[in-house]
């Protein structure tokens, strides 16, 4: 790079464009950017030079130079509007992303730009670069760091009500939760993205992304028909934009057809006008899987997985569904092969199914453990022994039920005895309290009366404890026994209330004197008790506040889940309405076909009678001719 700068004019740009080599053009653009001129025309020329320079550096795969260019341009950014700065910065970051093998460089570059935007207080640019950084972290499988970054960013963007960016962030959060296998949160984030997208105009590419993610989530829940419709919508959007993601949408459409056992439709979709545009390894892989599924051949299935490993095994979405499909096919074929046998060699089964012996043996043992069939593996002889389906013996469950009923009866008897023991204790205690109340009213000595009142008070407390124990025992018994015991318990509670009233009546004349004697001495202790009660009340209030916050958080999560369910129900309703309309059209077509067939039947009948009439006329004519010849012969 030369130390002397060039004037920021269109001639300098033209000179760079006419350069013979890219290195020479890059050197000229750098010299134009070194020009200190800050006039509006010079700034406009420099912006054009930056765009051309970043394109050249990208074509030359010079990612580090792009990174240093972004650092070098920071003084220039202070001279131009923030919107243009954001456009240039995001353009350079996108150019770095187009260079292969630069994921770590992109992450470090985005982190540097975030720090610079925080220092310069460029909120609009920082939010978009942070969203880009979260997407890069997700691609790099740093899920926890990406979620932490998005959690703060979502709150900030919702507060600013930037719905377009909010759609991107919610969709990215849904992908992150899906990568972490958290489907409820993935669906909730996708619903939030759809809600925000419904309020604004969303570009077709972004709408295609939303439909693609919806299809992936529905396919994960085994709802392949709904997933197919979403993949179809995404394919149409990407196909109209000539986006390379269209082939993946088409690939997932074919996957849904295979998973619902409609593999015959795969060839027709690929040979359609839209499918022929994307013929290649991706569609060839799905066609091979469809052929293997249609023929129920595990050998063809494994050949397809081996020949198209990049398209099937390395695609996590396809691999997950094909693994379950492979297991289902393998189990069905094994059950079909071993059905005629009671004892068969494992090597013979492996030969019939054309799979390795150890693989078949492992799968058979798994099926036995999963109770797919009754049998055992004789590994010494290398055989599989299949048992007859065991007949369920009715004696065993009947015996268990009888033992359970006996246990309930024993528990009821034991509980009744416990209740009766508490009842006897209460009756004795109640009679004793009645005698003490009668004797206390006749005592004149204050000390003796005070001692007697203390005994009565403790006796009443003991009676309350017995009442509570009887209540617990009665409520744990069978309904028939419980009703009679609860009736008894109500009588005992009424009796205890009478004792309390009697004790209150006989103790009330002395209450005032006792308070006067011990009032001053007890003030401090009462205050301490009040302070303790207040502190306990405050602690309980704090705990209640925490529980309320936790309940509110649970309610919000429930609300998000409810919104997701409502969205799913709405989509299913639309699907049902669409199917209803289709059925109505089919019904109309059937009516028209019926009318056409009726008309054809009538015409056939009419033609039949005409032919019969002609034959009868010909026969009569022949008879007349023969008669005429015979009579005149």
């Amino acid at each position: 790079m030369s130390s002397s700068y060039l004037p920021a004019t269109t001639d300098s740009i033209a000179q760079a464009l006419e350069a013979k080599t890219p290195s020479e053009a890059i050197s000229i653009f750098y010299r134009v950017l070194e020009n200190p001129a800050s006039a509006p025309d010079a700034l406009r020329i420099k912006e054009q030079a930056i765009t051309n320079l970043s394109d050249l550096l990208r074509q030359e795969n010079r990612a580090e130079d792009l990174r240093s260019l972004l650092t070098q341009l920071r003084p220039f950014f202070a001279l131009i509007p923030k919107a243009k700065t954001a456009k240039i910065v995001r353009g350079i970051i996108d150019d770095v992303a187009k260079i292969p093998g630069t994921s770590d460089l992109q992450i470090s570059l985005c982190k540097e730009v975030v720090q610079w935007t925080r220092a310069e207080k460029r909120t609009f640019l920082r939010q978009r670069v942070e969203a880009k950084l979260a997407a890069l972290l997700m691609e790099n499988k740093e899920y926890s760091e990406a979620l932490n970054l998005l959690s703060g960013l979502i709150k900030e963007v919702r507060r600013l009500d930037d719905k377009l960016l909010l759609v991107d962030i919610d969709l990215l959060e849904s992908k992150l939760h899906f990568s972490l296998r958290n489907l409820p949160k993935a669906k909730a984030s996708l619903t939030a993205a759809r809600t925000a997208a419904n309020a604004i105009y969303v570009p077709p590419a972004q709408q295609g992304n939303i439909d693609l993610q919806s299809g992936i989530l529905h396919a994960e829940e085994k709802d392949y028909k709904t997933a197919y419709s979403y993949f179809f919508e995404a394919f149409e959007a990407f196909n109209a934009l000539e986006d390379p993601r269209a082939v993946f949408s088409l690939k997932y459409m074919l996957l849904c057809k295979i998973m619902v056992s409609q593999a015959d439709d795969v060839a027709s979709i690929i040979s359609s006008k839209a499918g022929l545009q994307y013929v290649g390894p991706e569609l060839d892989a799905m066609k091979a899987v469809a052929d293997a599924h249609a023929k129920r051949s595990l050998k063809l299935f494994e050949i397809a997985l081996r020949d198209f490993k990049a398209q099937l095994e390395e695609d996590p979405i396809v691999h997950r569904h094909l693994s379950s499909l492979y297991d289902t096919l393998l189990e069905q074929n094994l059950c079909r092969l071993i059905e005629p046998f009671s004892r068969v060699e494992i090597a013979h089964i492996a030969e019939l199914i054309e799979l390795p012996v150890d693989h078949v043996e492992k799968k058979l043992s798994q099926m036995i453990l999963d109770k797919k069939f009754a049998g055992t593996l004789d590994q010494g002889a290398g055989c599989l022994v299949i048992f007859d389906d065991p007949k369920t013996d009715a004696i065993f469950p009947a015996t268990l039920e009888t033992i359970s009923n006996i246990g309930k009866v024993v528990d009821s008897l034991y509980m009744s005895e416990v209740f009766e023991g508490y009842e006897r204790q209460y009756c004795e205690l109640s009679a004793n309290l009645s005698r003490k109340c009668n004797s206390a009213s006749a005592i004149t000595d204050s000390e003796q009366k005070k001692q007697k009142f203390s005994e009565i008070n403790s006796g009443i407390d003991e009676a309350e404890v017995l009442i509570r124990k009887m209540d617990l025992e009665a409520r744990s018994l069978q309904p028939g026994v419980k009703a009679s015991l609860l009736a008894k318990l109500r009588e005992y509670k009424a009796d205890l209330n009478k004792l309390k009233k009697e004790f209150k009546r006989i103790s009330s004349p002395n209450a005032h004197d006792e308070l006067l004697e011990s009032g001053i001495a007890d003030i401090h202790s009462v205050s301490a008790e009040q302070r303790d009660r207040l502190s306990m009340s405050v602690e309980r209030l704090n705990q209640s506040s925490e529980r309320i916050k936790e309940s509110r958080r649970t309610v919000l999560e429930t609300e998000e889940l409810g919104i997701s369910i409502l969205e799913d129900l709405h989509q299913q309703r639309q699907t049902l309405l669409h199917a209803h309309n289709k059925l109505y059209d089919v019904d109309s077509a059937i009516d028209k076909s019926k009318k056409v067939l009726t008309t054809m039947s009538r015409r056939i009948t009419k033609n039949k009678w005409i032919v019969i009439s002609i034959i009868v006329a010909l026969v009569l004519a022949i008879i007349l001719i023969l008669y005429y010849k015979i009579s005149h012969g």
Side-chain angles (χ1 to χ4, degrees):
M1 192 188 306
S2 177
S3 58
S4 60
Y5 59 81
L6 291 176
T9 60
T10 53
D11 293 336
S12 300
I13 299 295
Q15 180 184 351
L17 295 175
E18 293 172 359
K20 296 180 180 179
T21 61
S23 301
E24 184 180 351
I26 290 170
S27 176
I28 293 172
F29 283 130
Y30 271 118
R31 292 168 63 190
V32 171
L33 293 177
E34 289 177 356
N35 193 315
S38 58
D41 292 338
L43 294 177
R44 180 175 53 81
I45 295 299
K46 286 183 179 181
E47 290 174 19
Q48 185 178 354
I50 291 170
T51 304
N52 294 332
L53 177 58
S54 61
D55 289 339
L56 282 173
L57 292 174
R58 174 180 57 80
Q59 293 171 9
E60 294 294 314
N61 292 337
R62 295 166 62 173
E64 286 291 344
D65 290 342
L66 282 168
R67 179 180 183 176
S68 60
L69 174 64
L70 198 55
T71 306
Q72 180 183 345
L73 290 174
R74 289 178 183 176
F76 173 73
F77 291 150
L79 304 175
I80 60 176
K82 290 185 177 180
K84 289 186 177 179
T85 300
K87 181 180 177 182
I88 293 172
V89 171
R90 293 172 65 188
I92 293 176
I93 292 174
D94 291 340
D95 286 336
V96 174
K98 293 174 183 176
I99 299 175
T102 58
S103 59
D104 294 336
L105 178 63
Q106 292 177 57
I107 292 173
S108 61
L109 177 60
C110 288
K111 288 180 178 178
E112 289 178 5
V113 173
V114 167
Q115 291 177 358
W116 174 72
T117 51
R118 286 186 185 278
E120 295 291 325
K121 296 182 180 179
R122 297 176 183 261
T123 306
F124 179 82
L125 176 58
R126 176 180 57 80
Q127 291 172 350
R128 278 147 182 81
V129 176
E130 283 183 343
K132 175 72 174 177
L133 176 59
L136 291 170
L137 290 172
M138 183 186 71
E139 292 176 3
N140 214 27
K141 296 185 179 181
E142 298 178 17
Y143 301 124
S144 57
E145 187 177 354
L147 276 177
N148 292 334
L149 180 62
L150 281 182
S151 60
L153 186 59
I154 287 176
K155 295 177 182 177
E156 187 178 351
V157 174
R158 281 179 179 166
R159 190 165 56 249
L160 296 176
D161 200 25
D162 188 351
K163 292 191 180 297
L164 188 59
L165 180 58
L166 189 61
V167 172
D168 295 337
I169 295 173
D170 284 332
L171 184 59
L172 181 59
E173 187 183 29
S174 175
K175 293 178 180 179
L176 272 170
H177 285 305
F178 176 73
S179 300
L180 293 170
R181 314 298 303 145
N182 192 339
L183 291 183
K185 287 192 175 182
K187 292 186 68 177
S189 299
L190 181 62
T191 303
R194 283 189 171 279
T195 305
N198 290 334
I200 57 170
Y201 169 75
V202 178
Q206 189 68 347
Q207 186 62 48
N209 275 329
I210 295 174
D211 291 332
L212 184 62
Q213 182 67 11
S214 300
I216 291 172
L217 292 180
H218 280 284
E220 191 66 23
E221 295 180 336
K222 311 300 182 185
D223 186 4
Y224 294 108
K225 292 185 178 179
T226 307
Y228 178 85
S229 63
Y230 277 117
F231 288 139
F232 181 73
E233 295 290 338
F235 172 71
E236 285 191 331
F238 292 141
N239 185 37
L241 297 172
E242 297 183 356
D243 193 301
R245 286 173 291 184
V247 68
F248 294 103
S249 303
L250 183 57
K251 177 181 176 182
Y252 298 150
M253 285 168 57
L254 302 178
L255 174 66
C256 291
K257 285 292 184 183
I258 295 170
M259 296 304 295
V260 295
S261 301
Q262 295 179 1
D264 296 337
D265 295 343
V266 171
S268 60
I269 294 174
I270 294 176
S271 60
S272 63
K273 182 179 178 181
L276 290 173
Q277 301 177 16
Y278 300 98
V279 171
E282 301 288 345
L283 301 190
D284 292 341
M286 300 311 297
K287 189 174 186 302
V289 172
D291 292 340
H293 183 270
K295 296 176 182 178
R296 297 189 176 277
S297 172
L298 288 171
K299 183 177 181 181
L300 292 177
F301 201 101
E302 290 195 338
I303 290 173
L305 292 177
R306 184 179 65 249
D307 293 345
F308 299 98
K309 184 176 180 180
Q311 290 77 24
L312 300 177
E313 294 284 342
E314 296 179 5
D315 188 328
I317 296 170
V318 175
H319 175 66
R320 188 177 300 114
H321 295 288
L322 290 185
S323 297
S324 63
L325 180 64
Y326 178 82
D327 289 339
T328 303
L329 280 177
L330 181 56
E331 289 178 1
Q332 290 176 352
N333 286 347
L334 285 175
C335 289
R336 179 171 54 83
L337 289 174
I338 67 176
E339 186 177 3
F341 302 101
S342 60
R343 183 182 179 90
V344 61
E345 291 184 354
I346 301 174
H348 180 62
I349 299 175
E351 183 180 353
L352 291 175
I353 206 169
E354 297 180 342
L355 288 176
V357 175
D358 56 344
H359 189 182
V360 173
E361 183 177 355
K362 182 179 178 181
K363 188 63 183 177
L364 287 172
S365 63
Q366 181 183 347
M367 292 172 67
I368 292 171
L369 293 174
D370 292 339
K371 297 183 178 180
K372 297 295 176 66
F373 66 91
T376 185
L377 288 174
D378 186 354
Q379 292 182 332
C383 293
L384 170 68
V385 181
I386 299 100
F387 303 144
D388 294 332
D389 292 335
K391 296 180 179 179
T392 56
D393 192 355
I395 297 176
F396 182 69
T399 305
L400 289 179
E401 185 178 359
T402 304
I403 292 172
S404 177
N405 292 332
I406 292 172
K408 290 179 182 178
V409 172
V410 171
D411 290 342
S412 299
L413 292 173
Y414 172 74
M415 293 295 183
S416 299
E417 291 178 0
V418 172
F419 184 87
E420 289 175 359
Y422 290 146
E423 186 179 14
R424 283 194 299 271
Q425 292 179 28
Y426 174 77
C427 291
E428 294 174 359
L429 184 61
S430 176
N432 190 16
L433 288 174
S434 297
R435 288 193 300 270
K436 287 182 179 180
C437 286
N438 293 331
S439 62
S441 58
I443 296 175
T444 57
D445 187 12
S446 60
E447 289 296 330
Q448 292 180 0
K449 183 174 285 191
K450 188 174 181 180
Q451 183 180 359
K452 184 67 71 173
F453 286 162
S454 175
E455 292 176 1
I456 295 171
N457 192 19
S458 61
I460 289 174
D461 292 339
E462 186 179 351
E464 287 181 342
V465 171
L466 290 172
I467 289 287
R468 284 196 295 271
K469 289 181 178 179
M470 284 191 287
D471 188 34
L472 290 173
E473 295 295 337
R475 294 184 185 279
S476 62
L477 296 176
Q478 300 297 323
V481 183
K482 180 169 68 175
S484 61
L485 295 183
L486 288 178
K488 277 186 180 181
L489 195 60
R490 284 194 292 271
E491 295 178 0
Y492 295 147
K493 287 181 179 178
D495 179 62
L496 182 61
N497 289 331
K498 288 180 182 179
L499 285 174
K500 287 180 179 179
K501 289 179 182 178
E502 179 67 18
F503 175 67
K504 186 177 181 181
R505 184 183 63 78
I506 63 175
S507 62
S508 57
N510 298 327
H512 182 68
D513 296 338
E514 291 174 1
L515 285 173
L516 287 176
E517 292 175 0
S518 59
I520 296 174
D522 292 343
I523 287 175
H524 297 291
S525 61
V526 170
S527 300
E529 291 177 0
Q530 289 177 348
R531 283 196 297 272
D532 293 338
R533 284 198 296 271
L534 284 173
S535 62
M536 291 174 63
S537 300
V538 169
E539 185 178 355
R540 282 196 294 270
L541 286 172
N542 291 333
Q543 293 174 357
S544 301
S545 300
E546 292 297 327
R547 285 196 294 270
I548 289 170
K549 289 179 181 178
E550 186 66 26
S551 301
R552 186 172 182 274
R553 194 177 303 113
T554 305
V555 167
L556 290 175
E557 292 179 358
T558 307
E559 183 182 3
E560 290 181 356
L561 184 58
I563 292 172
S564 173
I565 293 171
L566 287 175
E567 181 71 19
D568 291 342
L569 290 174
H570 176 71
Q571 293 166 0
Q572 292 173 7
R573 181 177 179 272
Q574 295 297 327
T575 304
L576 290 173
L577 288 175
H578 181 69
H580 180 268
N581 293 333
K582 288 287 185 184
L583 288 174
Y584 181 78
D585 295 339
V586 171
D587 190 32
S588 300
I590 289 172
D591 290 339
K592 290 179 182 179
S593 302
K594 189 184 294 183
K595 291 178 182 179
V596 172
L597 289 173
T598 304
T599 305
M600 292 173 64
S601 177
R602 288 175 181 172
R603 288 181 180 177
I604 290 169
T605 305
K606 184 178 178 181
N607 292 336
K608 188 187 295 183
W609 283 109
I610 291 172
V611 170
I612 291 171
S613 301
I614 292 172
I615 292 171
V616 170
L618 288 172
V619 170
L620 290 175
I622 292 169
I623 292 171
L624 287 173
I625 291 169
L626 291 174
Y627 177 76
Y628 180 78
K629 286 186 176 182
I630 292 171
S631 62
H632 290 81

